[in-house]
Amino acid sequence: MWNLQEYRFATNPAEAVALMRKGPGKGAYIAGGTDLLLEHPDCDFVVDVNNAGIGDIARTPGGDLFLGAAATLQGIVDDPLVGGFAGGAVGLAAARCGNRPVRTTATVGGNLCNALPSADMAPVLMALDATCYIADEDCRESLPLTDFFVGPRRTVLEDRLLVGVALPGECAGWRCLAHKLTRTAEDISLVQVCVALDLADGRIGEVRIALGAVSAVPMRATLAESMLTGQEVAAVTPDLVRDVAGIAAGECGPLDDHRASAEYRREMTAVLTRRLVTGILGDDRGNGEGDAA
Amino acid sequence: MKISFHLNGQPTDWEVAPGRTLLQALRGSGAHSVKMGCETGDCGSCTVLLDGQPVNSCVVAAARVAGHRVTTMEGLLDDDLMIRLQTELVEQGAVQCGYCIPGMLISLYALMKKGPPIGEQEIRHALTGNLCRCTGYVKPVAAARAVATVLEVSP
């Protein structure tokens, strides 16, 4: 059994941070607990943030989609606001996390704060330009999700609390496709790729290609992105897409482990990037290239 | 630490260790329908309802249920919908060793509570957290489909 001395409840973010700093000993925030109760990290107390008022999902007056850190993954799957944003890509990603009873309690904040290279929610949120909101006892900070992860299982948080992430309203109309490559449906991902394109009047505006499980932290393939930015859709040839995919694969730094070799991960990064870009553009041209390998 | 919550509809006070899981605490209190399987949130044999939603009680902290509603099979034995599900599983031959069945019933019960129409895909999604190593899933899904069909005619 987990040798925990104390279980504390916070009713708001500032109180949660204060309870974390109060000591004595080491503490951890707990929401769904589906990771902590497996890993039994070495700590003396936990601070429960399920009742800290950070579980809401909302569209702001400006059109941003806000996901509270303690929003459950199943809550995200079922939420109509999420379903209406960027083709429902965030909900589809949440639906691929764990199994149904795990998603009932597991939260988006927990998935991000656990900071695994394979964090299931990171690529789609990164591809839709997520901003993280972080609470301290008497102030708040925001920063891009791309700056949130500092290494495997390490974030910028230290003893502060992630209160949620916001996706800018401009991304609501972006076309977004993601693929999570696993051996079985519930397994930890081998490679994740998420592509988001801002398409208007036959042109590609903004481009986001986010990768998971192929580097120390979830990342964007910015060189590959820049090759597509501003292109006429009609001018994007299969060769260009192949090059973009190859560059994306070159930008990541996968590791060998018992799940897959680095070589395989890199190759699949290229394959999936190519398929997803082609899928979005193929749809846009209405010629069904989406299935092309 | 002391927690107060509703277990199977009854106001309940527990004295639990902070690091105890809901599964350990439930079995310690006599709710033996809740099975201890993988204890890693994979197999679903410990599935219970937390505020009506299925959870793996092995990866839920017991302390966390303070102020919430927890439902196990013990609390649903006289429930008409649960009896329909149990009966149909038996009639379809979906039960072999039986270890996964309480968890499967809880998952199906949570799904059926939403009301018809309930299609096969929804049933399969609802059972993604329940592993059966005996009969497989064809018969449990068939049983759930039969109940879903009946619910459409006589809710």
Side-chain angles (χ1 to χ4, degrees):
Chain A
M1 196 173 85
W2 194 12
N3 186 25
L4 199 63
Q5 301 304 313
E6 198 183 346
Y7 195 103
R8 300 173 180 168
F9 293 93
T11 56
N12 61 64
E15 184 189 12
V17 180
L19 287 172
M20 178 60 68
R21 289 186 179 152
K22 197 175 80 171
K26 279 172 67 178
Y29 293 110
I30 188 167
T34 53
D35 284 317
L36 287 185
L37 287 162
L38 293 188
E39 295 158 2
H40 295 179
D42 179 25
C43 56
D44 303 288
F45 63 90
V46 291
V47 178
D48 184 306
V49 296
N50 288 300
N51 305 316
I54 57 170
D56 289 343
I57 298 171
R59 283 300 279 272
T60 66
D64 297 357
L65 178 66
F66 182 81
L67 305 174
T72 66
L73 295 173
Q74 189 64 35
I76 289 171
V77 171
D78 293 336
D79 193 284
L81 297 175
V82 176
F85 196 97
V90 178
L92 292 173
R96 292 289 322 270
C97 298
N99 56 44
R100 175 65 182 81
V102 164
R103 289 193 296 270
T104 302
T105 52
T107 64
V108 61
N111 188 251
L112 296 175
C113 294
N114 213 30
L116 289 176
S118 58
D120 283 325
M121 295 305 289
V124 70
L125 295 175
M126 233 176 227
L128 296 171
D129 273 355
T131 297
C132 300
Y133 287 84
I134 296 169
D136 207 324
E137 277 179 88
D138 46 15
C139 63
R140 288 204 176 189
E141 186 192 340
S142 64
L143 83 176
L145 181 58
T146 42
D147 297 337
F148 180 75
F149 303 104
V150 295
R153 293 186 167 277
R154 286 186 54 225
T155 69
V156 297
L157 286 174
E158 298 187 344
D159 57 2
R160 297 173 301 165
L161 177 69
L162 178 70
V163 294
V165 296
L167 306 177
E170 303 88 78
C171 301
W174 287 11
R175 302 285 302 283
C176 184
L177 285 182
H179 193 99
K180 171 182 169 184
L181 182 70
T182 56
R183 287 180 68 87
T184 67
E186 287 176 27
D187 204 0
I188 291 173
S189 55
L190 305 174
V191 177
Q192 298 177 61
V193 181
C194 182
V195 176
L197 301 180
D198 169 25
L199 294 175
D201 304 325
R203 271 194 61 194
I204 305 173
E206 299 286 336
V207 180
R208 302 285 181 268
I209 299 173
L211 309 176
V214 289
S215 64
V217 295
M219 60 170 282
R220 293 241 317 263
T222 50
L223 289 175
E225 290 173 359
S226 66
M227 296 168 70
L228 286 173
T229 308
Q231 296 274 0
E232 298 283 337
V233 172
V236 178
T237 61
D239 280 347
L240 175 59
V241 176
R242 202 170 290 272
D243 289 346
V244 167
I247 294 293
E251 287 184 74
C252 67
L255 294 179
D256 283 314
D257 69 11
H258 59 284
R259 289 197 172 81
S261 68
E263 188 186 3
Y264 175 73
R265 286 190 159 103
R266 198 185 289 280
E267 177 65 21
M268 288 313 294
T269 301
V271 169
L272 295 175
T273 304
R274 189 176 77 234
R275 286 183 189 168
L276 294 174
V277 171
T278 310
I280 296 175
L281 295 179
D283 262 7
D284 199 57
R285 294 175 180 132
N287 61 3
E289 269 182 49
D291 294 329
Chain B
M1 64 186 293
K2 195 178 165 214
I3 60 164
S4 300
F5 69 109
H6 279 75
L7 176 59
N8 294 325
Q10 300 297 317
T12 304
D13 296 314
W14 271 356
E15 185 64 39
V16 292
R20 210 160 168 77
T21 65
L22 180 58
L23 167 63
Q24 290 162 339
L26 281 169
R27 287 191 61 87
S29 78
H32 291 146
S33 75
V34 189
K35 302 298 181 211
M36 203 172 264
C38 68
E39 293 181 77
T40 55
D42 289 307
C43 81
S45 61
C46 68
T47 308
V48 302
L49 298 178
L50 176 60
D51 298 331
Q53 298 290 313
V55 298
N56 291 318
S57 59
C58 67
V59 286
V60 172
R64 188 245 160 101
V65 306
H68 292 269
R69 292 179 292 118
V70 176
T71 310
T72 68
M73 278 299 293
E74 281 83 356
L76 296 168
L77 295 176
D78 297 326
D79 185 284
D80 286 344
L81 174 57
M82 183 53 86
I83 292 168
R84 281 186 190 181
L85 284 165
Q86 288 174 311
T87 308
E88 201 60 46
L89 279 178
V90 170
E91 289 191 357
Q92 299 270 352
V95 181
Q96 198 167 322
C97 91
Y99 204 80
C100 68
I101 295 299
M104 236 184 229
L105 281 166
I106 292 280
S107 290
L108 290 174
Y109 182 84
L111 172 69
M112 300 291 165
K113 267 288 178 190
K114 292 196 303 191
I118 295 164
E120 177 163 343
Q121 275 306 310
E122 280 176 276
I123 292 167
R124 289 185 178 275
H125 278 294
L127 288 176
T128 52
N130 297 94
L131 300 187
C132 168
R133 302 288 87 160
C134 298
T135 74
Y137 306 96
V138 172
K139 290 175 176 177
V141 169
R145 288 189 64 179
V147 173
T149 307
V150 173
L151 286 179
E152 284 193 43
V153 193
S154 58

